[in-house]
């Protein structure tokens, strides 16, 4: 029996688990002797010029990756998500602007956004299902029917509305 310390290990190279193919870079195409055309880049081109969106699709894709939405986020999915978000944002801002104008204000405040969402039949379920809370939005105006008092002839309406002299018997017509 010999110790492992005494034995000398010779470095051996193990074959790679997966064979890596050498990357072949296409040489630039030459049209004329003076003009050189570079090969097309394979990086996703999500610039506003190409997508036609205002939102930054690069940042949106980065946030989707950080949120672990999926294993791999395709550039087209980030562009699609940006288009949907931009449409919803434009819709909400248009309604909020109308609400601000109705209240004779020139600035859209969180209250106007809240009122616009609550008054719209399509946006209200979307926001309520997602449990969206708008800070500074306030509450929806209205009193629940169970909280409203029933008005009967016997309901006390206040001293100013009572005919006190008629109840006392003074000036009562019989």
């Amino acid at each position: 029996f010999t110790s492992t310390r005494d034995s000398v290990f010779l470095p051996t190279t193990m074959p790679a688990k997966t064979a890596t193919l050498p990357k072949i870079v296409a040489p630039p195409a030459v049209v004329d002797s003076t003009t050189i055309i570079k090969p097309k880049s394979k990086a996703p081109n999500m610039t506003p010029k190409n997508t036609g969106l205002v939102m930054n699709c690069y940042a949106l894709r980065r946030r989707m990756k950080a949120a672990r939405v999926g294993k791999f986020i395709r550039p087209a999915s980030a562009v699609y998500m940006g288009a949907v978000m931009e449409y919803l944002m434009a819709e909400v801002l248009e309604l909020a602007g109308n609400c601000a104008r109705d209240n004779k204000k020139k600035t859209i405040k969180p209250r106007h956004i809240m009122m616009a969402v609550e008054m719209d039949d399509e946006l209200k379920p979307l926001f309520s299902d997602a449990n969206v809370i708008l800070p500074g939005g306030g509450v929806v105006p209205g009193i629940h029917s169970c909280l409203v008092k029933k008005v009967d002839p016997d309901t006390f309406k206040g001293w100013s509305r009572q005919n006190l002299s008629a109840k006392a018997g003074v000036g009562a017509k019989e």
Side-chain angles (χ1 to χ4, degrees), residues 149-164 167:
K149 291 183 180 178
K150 278 84 176 164
V151 177
D152 296 338
D154 299 332
T155 305
F156 180 71
K157 296 179 183 173
W159 292 109
S160 62
R161 301 230 174 116
Q162 296 286 330
N163 188 357
L164 298 175
K167 290 202 174 199

Side-chain angles (χ1 to χ4, degrees), residues 37-140:
I37 300 172
K38 288 198 279 185
K40 188 175 181 230
S41 172
K42 294 191 179 183
N45 197 348
M46 300 183 291
T47 58
K49 178 183 160 190
N50 287 352
T51 60
L53 300 176
V54 176
M55 292 194 76
N56 185 352
C57 293
Y58 290 106
L60 186 59
R61 185 174 182 215
R62 191 171 57 242
R63 282 180 171 246
M64 288 170 74
K65 282 182 180 179
R68 300 295 220 163
V69 174
K71 203 171 186 181
F72 178 77
I73 307 296
R74 291 185 184 272
S77 63
V79 172
Y80 191 86
M81 176 77 100
V84 169
M85 287 175 61
E86 191 170 311
Y87 169 74
L88 285 173
M89 191 168 42
E91 193 73 26
V92 168
L93 285 176
E94 179 186 355
L95 294 171
N98 294 343
C99 188
R101 189 183 65 229
D102 294 344
N103 291 331
K104 298 175 185 159
K105 306 285 183 190
K106 291 186 177 181
T107 307
I108 296 175
K109 304 237 167 126
R111 177 69 178 162
H112 301 135
I113 296 172
M114 174 77 170
M115 294 300 297
V117 168
E118 290 296 326
M119 298 301 171
D120 191 53
D121 295 334
E122 295 172 348
L123 290 175
K124 185 176 181 179
L126 181 71
F127 276 57
S128 63
D129 289 347
N131 296 326
V132 175
I133 298 172
L134 292 171
V139 295
V140 181

